[in-house]
Amino acid sequence: MKKIVILTGAGISAESGLGTFRDEDGLWAQHAIEDVATPEGFARDAHLVHDFYNARRANAAQAQPNAAHHALARLEAEHPGEVFIITQNVDALHEMAGSRNVLHMHGQLDRALCGACGHRWDAPAVMRPEDACPACRVRATRPDVVWFGEIPYGMERIDPALSEADLFAAIGTSGQVFPAAAYGQHARRMGAHTVELNLEDSAASRDFDDCLRGKATEIVPLWVEGLLSRA
Ligand code: APR
């Protein structure tokens, strides 16, 4: 049965009230990436970085999954083959909508990581530089998110999934951050049919056989309906 692999980005959570990164009012218009999303920035000013993620964690805690998240959960429940979501998002909206086969390649806001011993635990709502790791007691706690210059999570699962995919879809991502930006090209080269669902053309649109344009809450449910009616 068809294996469907789906890459999602900030655009799928935009209509849930969570900011995107590169739209004109996006997070990178308000904050300097090098200050809040790099290991060097964290070493320079851990307070600033924790404040940035505390604000995003509070925002995400208020957010609800939207029709696009629910449509993907329906696809996983009703499609006879495997549906695997690789998300660049650090929110938990896919899981809240009911998706279970989800990989957070850039980590998760609601998880914490100890920079000293590697221990992971559920993040408190507010994290501070003086927090001690529950396992080793060292004051080296950080959000369990992947910063620029760090290796994304789950690469050992992602590459085989892209090779085995019959259908690869990218939803709500600008195609500007690698390695995710090359997944469409890789999947296509390995024989998958590729579809891009996005508000506008992205830097990776040329890698896709089909491009569906519009808001995720409108085009994703229609796309899922079409897949399930043909299954
Ligand atoms: N519906 C569909 N697409 C949308 C919507 C919407 N309502 N709103 C915005 N988009 C599209 C934008 O047109 C854009 O192409 O979603 C995309 C969002 O792009 P980015 O803001 O660059 O987010 P993303 O691609 O997820 O960024 C990738 O960059 O900064 C890092 O780690 C961060 O995971 C993030 C990565």
Side-chain angles (χ1 to χ4, degrees):
M1 256 309 162
K2 273 187 179 302
K3 173 165 182 167
I4 303 176
V5 177
I6 301 168
L7 173 70
T8 63
I12 200 170
S13 297
E15 292 161 89
S16 293
L18 299 186
T20 61
F21 293 94
R22 295 173 182 83
D23 288 327
E24 67 287 340
D25 56 348
L27 282 168
W28 297 148
Q30 303 159 38
H31 303 271
I33 287 178
E34 61 277 3
D35 291 342
V36 296
T38 63
E40 297 77 14
F42 186 65
R44 249 194 329 272
D45 187 344
H47 260 291
L48 177 76
V49 174
H50 275 307
D51 285 350
F52 175 66
Y53 286 95
N54 290 338
R56 292 184 63 194
R57 195 174 296 109
N59 199 14
Q62 304 296 319
Q64 290 300 318
N66 61 51
H69 297 104
H70 286 295
L72 295 188
R74 179 188 170 209
L75 181 64
E76 178 181 319
E78 298 180 19
H79 175 65
E82 183 188 351
V83 174
F84 177 37
I85 295 177
I86 301 165
T87 187
Q88 300 173 93
N89 299 338
V90 291
D91 62 58
L93 296 178
H94 284 303
E95 291 86 348
M96 287 171 69
S99 290
R100 287 189 302 281
N101 194 9
V102 180
L103 187 155
H104 286 268
M105 65 179 291
H106 290 164
Q108 294 168 261
L109 274 176
D110 51 18
R111 293 290 282 169
L113 168 67
C114 175
C117 74
H119 179 61
R120 284 183 168 86
W121 66 99
D122 288 342
V126 177
M127 295 187 73
R128 295 184 184 83
E130 55 271 21
D131 294 346
C133 166
C136 74
R137 312 305 306 161
V138 172
R139 283 168 172 65
T141 63
R142 56 172 279 182
D144 189 15
V145 299
V146 178
W147 285 327
F148 285 91
E150 296 185 322
I151 311 288
Y153 293 156
M155 306 293 274
E156 69 288 348
R157 271 191 73 193
I158 293 173
D159 288 347
L162 296 175
S163 305
E164 295 153 10
D166 299 297
L167 175 63
F168 176 82
I171 304 176
T173 180
S174 65
Q176 296 188 51
V177 175
F178 289 83
Y183 288 172
Q185 185 186 68
H186 182 130
R188 189 191 227 177
R189 196 171 47 240
M190 301 304 287
H193 183 77
T194 56
V195 188
E196 182 185 58
L197 296 90
N198 207 54
L199 197 58
E200 58 200 6
D201 281 358
S202 78
S205 293
R206 68 187 175 287
D207 297 334
F208 291 86
D209 300 309
D210 302 327
C211 288
L212 307 182
R213 291 288 173 260
K215 291 164 65 172
T217 55
E218 289 161 13
I219 62 176
V220 176
L222 288 173
W223 176 66
V224 166
E225 185 59 47
L227 287 176
L228 293 176
S229 61
R230 288 195 300 273

